[in-house]
Amino acid sequence: MTGSDARPTVLYASDRTFRVWRYGVGHSHLVLRSLPDGSDTTRLDLHFEAVHAMRLVTRYEALHVLAVDEPEFSRIFAESGVPPVRRDAQLIVGLRSRSGTGYVQCGRVILDRREGRTSDEPDPPGPRDVVWSLRPGDLAPPPPP
C-alpha cells in the first residue's frame, strides 16, 4: 500500500476470513465480518464509520489493515471529493489479503468481538468487546501537500 519499497505499517492482522457484510448509505457505515469457524467461537466485526470512499473485494482471507503512505493518501483523498478542510478528520487504511486488496477512507475504524454469534442474527443488546479502534489522530497525519 505504499509507493516506495518500504514495507507498509500493519495496523491490524488476522488469519481469519472477513467478508463484506453490510454497507449503510444513510450512516455511511461499512461492516466486514468474520464468522466463527472451527474451534473459534467468536464473531469479529470490523466497522468503518463515516465512510467517504472505498474500493473492496467481497472476501479477505488473512486480512491485514495497513497504514497508507502520503502519496497514496493524497491520491485517494483527492479522488474522494471530500473538501480539503476535512483532511485531518479522515483516515485511509489499506486492506490486503490472499484474496484481494482495497482501501477505505473513513472517520473511524472499530474491531469488536462477540461470543458465539453466527450468521446474520440480530445483534443482542448489551456491550460488545472492542478489540481495537483507530481514529485519524491515532496516526501521525500525512502532511498537507
Side-chain angles (χ1 to χ4, degrees):
M1 304 275 41
T2 62
S4 68
D5 291 334
R7 300 191 96 202
T9 301
V10 176
L11 303 169
Y12 171 76
S14 174
D15 289 334
R16 293 176 57 166
T17 296
F18 286 78
R19 291 184 284 165
V20 175
W21 203 258
R22 185 177 334 156
Y23 177 70
V25 176
H27 294 288
S28 301
H29 186 194
L30 169 68
V31 177
L32 302 183
R33 178 168 287 172
S34 178
L35 293 173
D37 60 348
S39 63
D40 196 337
T41 62
T42 60
R43 182 184 84 190
L44 297 174
D45 284 340
L46 193 54
H47 301 266
F48 298 88
E49 298 176 346
V51 174
H52 289 281
M54 60 184 157
R55 187 185 80 212
L56 303 170
V57 296
T58 58
R59 181 179 170 94
Y60 292 93
E61 298 173 17
L63 175 66
H64 286 77
V65 178
L66 310 167
V68 298
D69 63 13
E70 167 48 30
E72 188 168 12
F73 186 101
S74 291
R75 179 186 61 79
I76 293 168
F77 184 83
E79 290 173 359
S80 75
V82 175
V85 297
R86 303 243 354 192
R87 182 180 172 99
D88 290 344
Q90 297 293 291
L91 176 68
I92 300 175
V93 294
L95 305 173
R96 182 184 295 166
S97 75
R98 291 189 302 250
S99 54
T101 62
Y103 66 81
V104 179
Q105 176 181 335
C106 60
R108 185 176 181 192
V109 181
I110 301 168
L111 176 72
D112 68 41
R113 173 177 49 221
R114 292 183 190 246
E115 187 64 37
R117 303 285 179 235
T118 60
S119 187
D120 197 19
E121 57 189 80
D123 291 335
R128 62 185 179 185
D129 181 16
V130 175
V131 177
W132 173 73
S133 70
L134 185 67
R135 294 175 185 255
D138 295 340
L139 294 174

